[in-house]
Amino acid sequence: MNLSELQKGEKGVITKVKGYGSFQKRIMEMGFVKGKTVNVIKCAPFKGPVEYSIMDYHVTLRRSEADLIEIVTPEEAMSIPSLIYEGTIDENIQKKSAQQQQKRINVAFVGNPNCGKTTLFNYLSGLRQHTGNYSGVTVDSSHAAYTHKGYNFNLVDLPGTYSLTAYTPEELFVRKYIFREHPDIVVNIVDATNLERNLYLTTQLIDMDIKVVLALNMYDDLGESGAKLEINDLASLLGIPIVPTIALNGTGVKELFDEIIEVYENRNPIVRHIHINYGKEVEKSIARIRTEIERVPQLLVKVSPRFLALKLLEQDKQAIRMVTKLDTESSILKCSYKEIERIELLRQEKCESVITNSKYGFINGALKTTYTPGKDKRRKHSNAVDKVLTHPVFGFPLFLFFIFLMFFSTFNIGAFPMEWIDSGINILNSFVKSSLPEGMLNDLITDGIISGCGSVLIFLPNIVILFLFISFMEDSGYMARASFMMDHAMHKLGLHGRSFIPLIMGFGCNVPAIMATRTIRNKNDRLLTILITPFMSCSARLPVYILFIGTFFPQRPTLVLFGIYLVGITMAVLSAKIFNKYFFKTKETPFVMELPPYRLPSLRSIIIHMWDKAGQYLKKVGGVILIAVIIIWALGYFPLNNDIELSYNNKIEQLKSELNANNSDSDALNTDIEQLNFRKNKELLENSYLGRIGKFIEPTIRPLGFDWHIGVTLLTGTAAKEIVISTFGVLMQTAAEGDEGDKILQTKLQNLKHESGKLKGEKVFTPAVALGFLVFVLIYFPCIGVVSAIAREAGSWRWAAFTILYTTGLAWFAAFFINIAGKFM
């Protein structure tokens, strides 16, 4: 029978993994090998993927993929021989030592996702790199320095990866880094509660013949579960020293670095060079291929010959490319193909399956004599929570409720600190304006810098609240469950279930979301996700939404904000359907994703994440936005038009003289003077460089109900979406009526009027135009940072240019439709 036939709560024992290529390789590396017991935990709604338990951890598969795994009942499995542990080949020599450079040691951190690798790295380095409780958060390497006992350590946190095959960008990146940079020590962080699964990566590090120290992380959870591990015995079997650690509080860190120093200085007796025994016939093939490899000296410099031989037997594409470049006679490849054919004929299964089974056989044998399992309380609690949060009926509505709650809190709770910041900015602006003499410097600081940056700064509380929710969902493990529930829906769109995590991350910032698509195996799936990610409303757009919703839709702010986000999601869905139908028709990769146990995020972790995002926002205000505000102010201030200035100043002086000479009604004359000031500033702005640019592009946006002021803000918003608000802040200083009550930007926007055409004298922002403007900001031209990220991750600027064109064109048509519909309604 097949695995897909099992019902919830039933068990089966694997007898065979069918299928070919990437599916079979990935599924076996995840632990689905002959003789392993699989338990069905739950099924996702709408006939989505199924969650299975294997090797004491949880993983998800689609039903179509479970069809490719043959099983028998536990009773029938009694006759199946278990994986054979054939021991190790011990050459009884220490690994080569790196050359000392004034007690400087280069250390690379390697480990599975969710093993606590980045948490340990952050503790050591003092950095605040965010770690989420799902695969693929660390999508690039991070560097830091650390000092211990007179040694200087260069630390590198490499991406989380399950193995070192050339299957995903993370795996290839880690492998290339180790071979190119030659770190002195590789610290392999292992989850102590999931040894069998985590040690698969360790076996590949053993094959690479490098110096390794194993950090047994979450050691406290191992003790609480009642499990027992003979650490010294396991270390002797692996030839690798093992140090228990608890990354969250730094337990074992000093001991870990003591061990690193001992291994580096070749003083640790445990360190020895072992070879995992892959069986008599495979070892014969490894020896034959190694003989051919050793005839090419260039290869010996780049990689361990045994590791390369194993990868060639697994038909690793990157290994094949490396050999093809350096082996002109192709003798190595010919030998490897011959040996693959021989092994598969003898064993009647794929050669890479034979090697994977042998690795797990080695792990089983090592743990059988050193490890006594206990009960994982975390998993028990996670299963209880999952019964509610991933329920086939209630799971999806609960997810929508959490998202709605996030938006409600962002808008309503954030309103109070926004008012405090706004009041402080107004007080500062008034103080500076009265303290400095009138002139260009006064105008630059007050009308430009303070008003422009201040109009963006007041939205800081909303950004913090948004990332509070996103951080909690990531750190707790709920984000991985959201992917599990959404896979069926994503599959219908031609997307992979893993696409859901980058898309959700896009609500925070599109740049790291696009980088997170590296966790998607298939190139077309990854590219499709990249192209639709800009439709996810990032936090940079949030200030624009809040300003305009509060100004024009104050009665239903949460509903409108939620609706805007849904519009973005809908646009992403429709684009995915179209792109998948016409551009990306290739077959998807399997949905295989670990579901880690729920963890209650630490308050420190969440606060650090919020503080980091607040810091990034403030840096943007003090960097890109400040520069943009000054440029916008300058474009609106120059060229100086002395004739207009002199003409209006003469009229104002004349009115003041009449007031003094005739004792006229001072209130009426003051109103006339204010009107003259308003017309003067308006005419100066229209004749400025900024006004000329706006007037030039106005015909293209007039069908949308927009005027030249809006056109200018949209142009400046291509640098960063927050600048839209800054630009309005600068423009509205002189473009609206000058009475005391109009100092608030919202009032000035409400009173902004068309200056030409059929609509001259009418208000620019009707509810339809305001909604069309919000949708335009949602869809059009991603910011420069996102465009750069698209070009980098997609591998070509053509995709970045395509994104600019299709999003801006789509934004125009959407706003046009809303404007026309608003007129009829």
Side-chain angles (χ1 to χ4, degrees):
M1 64 186 295
N2 296 328
L3 180 59
S4 59
E5 298 175 47
L6 288 182
Q7 302 300 313
K8 180 180 177 182
E10 293 182 345
K11 295 181 180 180
V13 178
I14 297 172
T15 58
K16 185 179 181 181
V17 177
K18 298 179 287 186
Y20 296 93
S22 62
F23 171 77
Q24 191 178 54
K25 178 182 289 187
R26 176 54 49 182
I27 210 71
M28 294 190 71
E29 287 180 345
M30 294 294 287
F32 287 81
V33 292
K34 185 191 299 183
K36 288 298 173 185
T37 301
V38 183
N39 185 24
V40 181
I41 303 300
K42 59 177 172 289
C43 304
F46 314 116
K47 295 184 179 179
V50 181
E51 179 183 349
Y52 298 99
S53 172
I54 186 169
M55 294 189 185
D56 294 325
Y57 81 106
H58 289 211
V59 68
T60 61
L61 294 176
R62 294 194 184 109
R63 296 171 192 272
S64 59
E65 294 156 1
D67 277 334
L68 298 174
I69 300 173
E70 291 184 359
I71 61 167
V72 295
T73 64
E75 292 75 22
E76 294 172 326
M78 298 299 291
S79 60
I80 297 177
S82 60
L83 295 175
I84 300 172
Y85 169 39
E86 300 195 48
T88 62
I89 301 171
D90 184 2
E91 296 187 0
N92 199 28
I93 59 172
Q94 289 198 330
K95 299 181 178 72
K96 294 180 182 179
S97 174
Q99 186 177 11
Q100 276 200 14
Q101 296 179 354
Q102 299 177 349
K103 291 190 174 182
R104 185 175 298 277
I105 305 176
N106 299 314
V107 179
F109 282 54
V110 175
N112 284 195
N114 301 306
C115 69
K117 173 179 60 64
T118 303
T119 304
L120 181 60
F121 179 81
N122 288 346
Y123 182 88
L124 292 166
S125 63
L127 296 181
R128 293 169 180 173
Q129 183 184 2
H130 182 54
T131 57
N133 192 14
Y134 60 89
S135 172
V137 173
T138 309
V139 293
D140 215 336
S141 62
S142 298
H143 300 253
Y146 184 72
T147 303
H148 180 73
K149 290 187 176 180
Y151 286 81
N152 297 315
F153 297 88
N154 295 322
L155 308 179
V156 180
D157 180 28
L158 297 175
T161 176
Y162 290 108
S163 72
L164 296 176
T165 57
Y167 187 59
T168 67
E170 285 81 15
E171 293 169 351
L172 192 56
F173 181 88
V174 172
R175 199 166 92 186
K176 283 184 176 180
Y177 181 90
I178 292 173
F179 282 133
R180 288 179 180 177
E181 302 299 327
H182 303 291
D184 300 320
I185 303 291
V186 170
V187 175
N188 179 205
I189 292 87
V190 169
D191 181 353
T193 64
N194 195 356
L195 287 172
E196 189 171 15
R197 175 68 195 88
N198 279 240
L199 287 175
Y200 183 85
L201 177 61
T202 308
T203 63
Q204 293 183 318
L205 294 172
I206 290 172
D207 290 334
M208 294 178 83
D209 193 12
I210 55 177
K211 283 189 169 184
V212 180
V213 174
L214 195 148
L216 194 64
N217 200 30
M218 306 182 199
Y219 190 68
D220 52 337
D221 290 340
L222 179 73
E224 289 176 6
S225 69
K228 293 181 180 179
L229 178 67
E230 300 296 333
I231 294 177
N232 292 334
D233 292 345
L234 180 60
S236 297
L237 284 170
L238 298 176
I240 297 172
I242 300 175
V243 181
T245 60
I246 304 173
L248 282 175
N249 58 23
T251 299
V253 167
K254 291 182 179 179
E255 292 80 1
L256 175 63
F257 276 82
D258 287 342
E259 204 65 66
I260 291 173
I261 293 171
E262 291 294 304
V263 173
Y264 179 78
E265 298 288 3
N266 294 322
R267 294 197 296 255
N268 192 308
I270 291 176
V271 178
R272 58 197 179 91
H273 182 40
I274 70 167
H275 286 166
I276 296 169
N277 190 343
Y278 293 102
K280 183 179 178 181
E281 297 303 327
V282 175
E283 289 296 336
K284 282 182 183 178
S285 296
I286 293 173
R288 289 167 184 167
I289 298 171
R290 280 190 64 169
T291 301
E292 297 296 331
I293 292 173
E294 288 166 356
R295 292 174 182 171
V296 184
Q298 301 96 315
L299 284 173
L300 298 178
V301 177
K302 289 178 175 290
V303 63
S304 159
R306 182 176 175 84
F307 180 80
L308 182 57
L310 283 164
K311 288 300 165 190
L312 290 173
L313 288 174
E314 293 176 337
Q315 300 186 62
D316 183 278
K317 293 180 180 178
Q318 187 65 23
I320 293 171
R321 278 196 292 268
M322 181 190 296
V323 170
T324 302
K325 289 179 182 178
L326 299 175
D327 181 19
T328 55
E329 298 179 1
S330 300
S331 58
I332 299 174
L333 291 180
K334 290 176 183 176
C335 179
S336 63
Y337 292 145
K338 181 180 178 181
E339 294 303 319
I340 289 170
E341 185 178 356
R342 186 182 70 85
I343 292 171
E344 292 183 351
L345 186 63
L346 286 171
R347 299 292 292 269
Q348 291 298 303
E349 61 179 320
K350 299 283 286 184
C351 189
E352 60 189 1
S353 301
V354 174
I355 293 172
T356 302
N357 282 328
S358 297
K359 286 184 182 294
Y360 275 115
F362 166 69
I363 295 168
N364 277 341
L367 292 180
K368 191 171 289 183
T369 57
T370 60
Y371 177 69
T372 304
K375 294 183 179 179
D376 192 347
K377 296 180 180 179
R378 294 182 307 163
R379 183 60 68 186
K380 183 179 179 181
H381 295 154
S382 293
N383 290 341
V385 175
D386 271 344
K387 287 181 180 179
V388 178
L389 294 184
T390 60
H391 191 274
V393 177
F394 305 118
F396 189 69
L398 279 172
F399 171 70
L400 290 179
F401 170 75
F402 291 143
I403 297 297
F404 184 85
L405 179 64
M406 178 174 71
F407 297 144
F408 178 84
S409 302
T410 299
F411 196 98
N412 289 275
I413 297 176
F416 298 104
M418 279 179 66
E419 292 177 3
W420 306 333
I421 296 174
D422 191 28
S423 299
I425 290 170
N426 288 334
I427 293 171
L428 176 63
N429 203 0
S430 300
F431 173 76
V432 174
K433 202 171 191 68
S434 61
S435 301
L436 293 176
E438 291 187 4
M440 185 186 300
L441 180 62
N442 189 316
D443 292 340
L444 170 62
I445 294 175
T446 57
D447 296 342
I449 295 174
I450 295 178
S451 295
C453 292
S455 60
V456 177
L457 189 63
I458 62 172
F459 297 103
L460 178 62
N462 306 102
I463 304 298
V464 170
I465 293 170
L466 178 69
F467 278 101
L468 167 67
F469 279 87
I470 291 177
S471 176
F472 184 85
M473 287 193 291
E474 289 177 353
D475 291 355
S476 65
Y478 182 65
M479 199 74 87
R481 269 70 180 184
S483 295
F484 168 71
M485 291 188 293
M486 291 298 297
D487 176 71
H488 187 68
M490 304 295 281
H491 187 56
K492 291 292 184 184
L493 303 177
L495 287 167
H496 193 276
R498 282 182 176 268
S499 299
F500 187 70
I501 289 175
L503 293 177
I504 287 293
M505 289 178 68
F507 289 134
C509 179
N510 288 167
V511 174
I514 289 169
M515 293 175 66
T517 59
R518 297 179 191 178
T519 61
I520 303 170
R521 271 69 174 175
N522 182 274
K523 182 180 179 181
N524 285 342
D525 289 339
R526 185 163 62 250
L527 187 55
L528 178 56
T529 307
I530 288 171
L531 292 178
I532 66 172
T533 296
F535 290 117
M536 300 296 105
S537 289
C538 65
S539 59
R541 297 178 176 103
L542 189 61
V544 184
Y545 299 159
I546 291 174
L547 173 65
F548 273 78
I549 291 172
T551 304
F552 300 104
F553 308 100
Q555 295 83 10
R556 300 180 181 87
T558 303
L559 188 61
V560 176
L561 182 63
F562 190 57
I564 291 294
Y565 277 79
L566 284 180
V567 168
I569 294 169
T570 303
M571 290 293 185
V573 167
L574 294 176
S575 298
K577 291 288 286 184
I578 294 170
F579 291 154
N580 195 59
K581 183 176 181 180
Y582 295 104
F583 301 117
F584 307 111
K585 299 180 180 180
T586 58
K587 190 177 180 181
E588 293 178 76
T589 52
F591 180 76
V592 184
M593 187 180 71
E594 182 181 352
L595 290 181
Y598 283 106
R599 297 188 181 106
L600 185 64
S602 67
L603 182 62
R604 178 177 179 270
S605 173
I606 292 178
I607 290 175
I608 285 175
H609 188 208
M610 290 167 54
W611 179 255
D612 283 347
K613 295 304 176 183
Q616 291 174 22
Y617 190 72
L618 291 173
K619 286 178 183 177
K620 189 182 283 188
V621 171
V624 175
I625 293 175
L626 176 61
I627 294 170
V629 161
I630 293 173
I631 293 172
I632 294 163
W633 175 87
L635 289 172
Y637 196 85
F638 295 102
L640 296 174
N641 198 318
N642 294 326
D643 292 339
I644 296 175
E645 189 92 28
L646 183 61
S647 173
Y648 278 99
N649 285 343
N650 288 336
K651 291 178 182 179
I652 291 171
E653 289 301 322
Q654 184 178 351
L655 283 173
K656 288 181 179 179
S657 298
E658 291 176 7
L659 174 63
N660 295 329
N662 303 326
N663 293 321
S664 304
D665 183 359
S666 60
D667 290 337
L669 280 174
N670 283 334
T671 301
D672 291 339
I673 292 171
E674 287 175 357
Q675 289 296 323
L676 283 173
N677 275 319
F678 166 66
R679 288 201 294 270
K680 177 185 74 171
N681 292 329
K682 176 183 174 184
E683 196 168 334
L684 287 171
L685 184 61
E686 288 177 351
N687 286 278
S688 69
Y689 294 125
L690 198 61
R692 293 172 190 176
I693 294 171
K695 298 280 186 181
F696 178 76
I697 66 171
E698 188 176 26
T700 63
I701 59 175
R702 193 177 291 132
L704 315 181
F706 299 171
D707 77 335
W708 67 271
H709 299 92
I710 299 175
V712 170
T713 64
L714 293 175
L715 278 178
T716 58
T718 58
K721 292 298 179 283
E722 302 99 327
I723 298 177
V724 169
I725 302 299
S726 301
T727 308
F728 271 125
V730 173
L731 290 176
M732 296 298 106
Q733 292 294 325
T734 55
E737 297 164 4
D739 61 287
E740 188 68 19
D742 285 346
K743 288 184 178 180
I744 302 173
L745 184 55
Q746 288 182 326
T747 306
K748 294 182 177 182
L749 288 171
Q750 291 170 343
N751 294 332
L752 184 64
K753 295 179 181 179
H754 285 282
E755 299 170 357
S756 61
K758 296 179 181 179
L759 299 176
K760 184 177 181 180
E762 295 185 16
K763 290 185 176 181
V764 172
F765 285 109
T766 64
V769 172
L771 186 60
F773 176 75
L774 288 172
V775 172
F776 198 98
V777 170
L778 161 70
I779 301 173
Y780 92 113
F781 197 121
C783 71
I784 297 300
V786 174
V787 172
S788 176
I790 291 173
R792 184 171 62 251
E793 298 301 322
S796 171
W797 278 97
R798 290 181 299 171
W799 287 112
F802 173 74
T803 303
I804 292 170
L805 293 174
Y806 95 83
T807 55
T808 305
L810 188 59
W812 193 96
F813 282 106
F816 177 76
F817 174 79
I818 292 172
N819 186 39
I820 296 299
K823 290 179 179 178
F824 281 107
M825 293 174 64

